[in-house]
Amino acid sequence: LGMSKNQCRVSLVSGVVVLSAVAVILGTVCSSVLFDKVQTLDLTGQNEHTFSTEYSLWARDENAVETEDAENTGVLKVVIPAAMTVLTAGLSVILVNRNLKQEPIELLSARVE
């Protein structure tokens, strides 16, 4: 109470953006650490990870095998969290604007009949 609509909008949206940014950063860091640990984990007891491509039709053609670029994964670790934060901020602006269509004092003074 006592805030203008813009002040209320900034207050609510900034809180949501800060919380979502912290959650996205924490989730990204934790998933990167866990993914790196899983990649180095040897579950088979062998020193070298091998698998049979005997029944894989795609493996018969040597040109059909594609490798993943390590450069693309670094970009994705930045782009996806940034997109999540922007999406959350945009959604929170839309929802806050919808809730601020009516004056807060009118909402508090309305009687339930």
Side-chain angles (χ1 to χ4, degrees), residues 66-84:
E66 296 180 12
T67 59
E68 183 178 332
D69 294 313
E71 297 170 3
N72 291 340
T73 57
V75 172
L76 289 177
K77 288 181 181 179
V78 174
V79 171
I80 291 175
M84 299 263 311

Side-chain angles (χ1 to χ4, degrees), residues 3-92:
M3 289 180 146
S4 68
K5 281 188 179 184
N6 285 335
Q7 289 172 333
C8 188
R9 181 179 297 114
V10 168
S11 174
L12 291 171
V13 171
S14 63
V16 170
V17 169
V18 167
L19 288 176
S20 67
V22 168
V24 166
I25 291 169
L26 186 65
T28 303
V29 169
C30 289
S31 66
S32 295
V33 169
L34 290 174
F35 183 74
D36 290 341
K37 289 202 180 279
V38 167
Q39 289 296 324
T40 59
L41 189 62
D42 185 17
L43 298 176
T44 61
Q46 300 174 352
N47 291 335
E48 186 177 315
H49 294 290
T50 59
F51 56 93
S52 173
T53 58
E54 181 180 354
Y55 300 107
S56 301
L57 295 176
W58 60 267
R60 292 184 186 161
D61 184 15
E62 292 179 13
N63 296 331
V65 178
E66 296 180 12
T67 59
E68 183 178 332
D69 294 313
E71 297 170 3
N72 291 340
T73 57
V75 172
L76 289 177
K77 288 181 181 179
V78 174
V79 171
I80 291 175
M84 299 263 311
T85 304
V86 169
L87 180 68
T88 304
L91 186 60
S92 67

